[in-house]
Amino acid sequence: MSRPSSHHDHSYSLADYGWDEACERAFAPHHAAGLIPARVVRAERGSCEAITDAGIVRAQIPDTGQGDPLSAPCTGDWAALRPAAGRGPVLDAVLERRTALVRSSASRTSHGQVLAANVDTVVVTVSLAAPLNHGRTERMLALSWESGAQPLVVLTKADECADAQSAAHEVSEIAPGADVLVTSAVTGQGLDTLTAVLTGTVVLLGPSGAGKSTLGNRLLGEERLATGAVREGDGKGRHTTAWRELLPLPGGGVLLDTPGLRAIGLHDAQDGLEQTFAEIEHFAQDCRFADCAHVSEPGCAVLAAVAADEIPQRRLDSYQRLLRENDYAASRTDARLRADREATKKEITRHLRATYRFRGNQQ
Ligand SMILES: Nc1nc2c(ncn2[C@@H]2O[C@H](COP(=O)(O)OP(=O)(O)OP(=O)(O)O)[C@@H](O)[C@H]2O)c(=O)[nH]1
Ligand SMILES: [Mg+2]
Ligand SMILES: [Zn+2]
């Protein structure tokens, strides 16, 4: 396994990390309050590393008591830091996120987990050294579209594939609206094009072993990220990357490598799914019923398109499976919200009872 170098260069400024006029405007009230602008490059529970114009600092994250991890500061957030005498600064506020990459959290709670905030481009990596798994790619695309960022599919390891072009064609059929690029970190194929099209905050997303960190090192121009061999036999990765950290790209913009996710659960991704399956939604406009589920309804234009081989059956099945999963996740969220509200109501009732009993005793 190759070792990454672990420290940031201190010569970078906030502008290198994407600070622009929109940030400046949004930060104005914090500026007036004497707070310092920063971008979170790595977040943990209780503290984070953030870049400021004075270099990297570690800032404390006060416990807000809010259970929802969606509101916790995460990598890519623009933050307002309050300087504290004699110790590190405290993260006081987070600017509203332009975009956010959210998956349903791994824990059994129904909360979402923010993988990255203020992302411009999501690089969805797909290895050409293993059989294509369209369902997984569609899932990653749905997550990407839902985030508000632009997805770009990057096929990796072209050197290990006999016919990369036809694989690229196949993948482009399941990725309406996203470009598909063939690359190899070994031969260098496609890397100049990739470098040229990447701007802003770029996130590498994909299964373990897809070659995200290897690609990241090529984009960074140095071995900053640890990489690991895939397993003999099934070609699966070993989950080499363990954390998420923003790194500046030599040509401008910043890069976020992510750990290969074991499971990418959808979180409230209805719009992202509609975008991912745009051609099905297009046909659906001609269904007789506005709420057609494209199962057995009369006058269903989607089923007609499947029968006419204009939409592959696999594609419709995949869409319906992901929609069901998303609905299920949403209903769990609703149940949790209901439970939260019930708990709050009970708490208030208890409080009122105690208060009135107290008053009653006084009289
Ligand atoms: N042949 C070939 N191998 C590659 C290429 N890119 C990456 N690899 C190999 O694929 C393996 C996995 O690469 P990583 O970059 O660690 O994969 P990753 O996606 O970062 O994996 P995780 O960090 O576990 O999520 C390593 O052995 C790489 O050398 C490529 O373009 N061609
Ligand atoms: Mg990695
Ligand atoms: Zn229909």
Side-chain angles (χ1 to χ4, degrees):
M1 192 165 98
S2 68
R3 289 257 130 236
S5 54
S6 59
H7 287 288
H8 283 265
D9 236 302
H10 283 244
S11 52
Y12 286 105
S13 72
L14 266 193
D16 296 313
Y17 280 78
W19 180 262
D20 59 12
E21 271 173 34
C23 294
E24 190 85 52
R25 273 195 301 278
F27 199 82
H30 300 300
H31 198 85
L35 304 183
I36 300 163
R39 190 162 196 197
V40 177
V41 296
R42 186 172 165 183
E44 279 135 58
R45 190 188 285 274
S47 75
C48 67
E49 263 179 41
I51 181 99
T52 69
D53 273 327
I56 289 277
V57 297
R58 177 160 287 278
Q60 301 308 308
I61 302 174
D63 188 359
T64 58
Q66 274 178 298
D68 191 348
L70 281 183
S71 60
C74 80
T75 308
D77 268 327
W78 290 108
L81 306 185
R82 183 178 298 284
R87 56 196 177 91
V90 175
L91 188 148
D92 201 80
V94 162
L95 299 192
E96 194 186 329
R97 293 169 182 154
R98 256 186 316 107
T99 67
L101 208 52
V102 183
R103 68 152 169 175
S104 79
S105 72
S107 68
R108 239 171 297 130
T109 66
S110 44
H111 290 299
Q113 182 200 4
V114 188
L115 297 173
N118 303 312
V119 178
D120 297 294
T121 311
V122 182
V123 172
V124 172
T125 57
V126 175
S127 168
L128 290 176
L132 295 173
N133 178 340
H134 292 327
R136 183 165 59 197
T137 306
E138 286 161 342
R139 188 180 279 276
M140 290 192 289
L141 284 168
L143 198 88
S144 306
W145 285 119
E146 185 66 34
S147 75
Q150 171 70 41
L152 166 69
V153 182
V154 170
L155 305 180
T156 61
K157 311 191 190 185
D159 56 285
E160 290 201 31
C161 176
D163 192 356
Q165 279 320 315
S166 73
H169 179 73
E170 203 181 311
V171 173
S172 66
E173 301 262 278
I174 65 150
D179 284 333
V180 178
L181 204 61
V182 177
T183 68
S184 164
V186 170
T187 66
Q189 181 184 354
L191 296 183
D192 285 348
T193 315
L194 180 58
T195 305
V197 299
L198 294 181
T199 51
T201 299
V202 177
V203 172
L204 300 175
L205 193 70
S208 181
K212 298 179 294 297
S213 302
T214 307
L215 193 65
N217 284 331
R218 295 300 297 258
L219 295 170
L220 292 164
E222 55 179 332
E223 300 293 309
R224 293 288 295 264
L225 308 165
T227 61
V230 296
R231 283 195 313 229
E232 290 285 336
D234 62 5
K236 286 205 172 122
R238 296 158 191 266
H239 296 276
T240 305
T241 302
W243 66 74
R244 290 167 271 142
E245 183 177 34
L246 279 185
L247 295 167
L249 287 164
V254 287
L255 182 75
L256 182 67
D257 185 17
T258 65
L261 303 172
R262 272 169 231 272
I264 308 172
L266 295 180
H267 181 84
D268 213 354
Q270 174 85 27
D271 292 344
L273 280 168
E274 286 176 13
Q275 186 93 39
T276 303
F277 295 91
E279 86 283 17
I280 298 182
E281 283 302 317
H282 176 74
F283 280 105
Q285 290 174 347
D286 291 330
C287 292
R288 187 177 306 160
F289 303 113
D291 63 347
C292 186
H294 327 307
V295 176
S296 60
E297 291 86 344
C300 174
V302 171
L303 291 176
V306 171
D309 269 347
E310 287 176 281
I311 299 172
Q313 181 71 48
R314 187 211 63 79
R315 188 85 171 138
L316 179 58
D317 292 345
S318 180
Y319 188 24
Q320 290 178 327
R321 186 168 348 104
L322 290 170
L323 279 174
R324 275 196 302 275
E325 176 189 317
N326 187 62
D327 280 351
Y328 175 68
S331 72
R332 280 198 313 166
T333 307
D334 289 349
R336 174 182 58 77
L337 286 178
R338 262 200 311 276
D340 278 0
R341 274 189 220 116
E342 274 312 307
T344 312
K345 224 159 71 190
K346 269 193 197 132
E347 188 53 45
I348 292 171
T349 313
R350 196 156 40 229
H351 177 75
L352 288 177
R353 277 211 198 99
T355 310
Y356 285 111
R357 202 179 303 132
F358 175 71
R359 284 206 193 133
N361 292 345
Q362 292 275 294
Q363 282 165 1

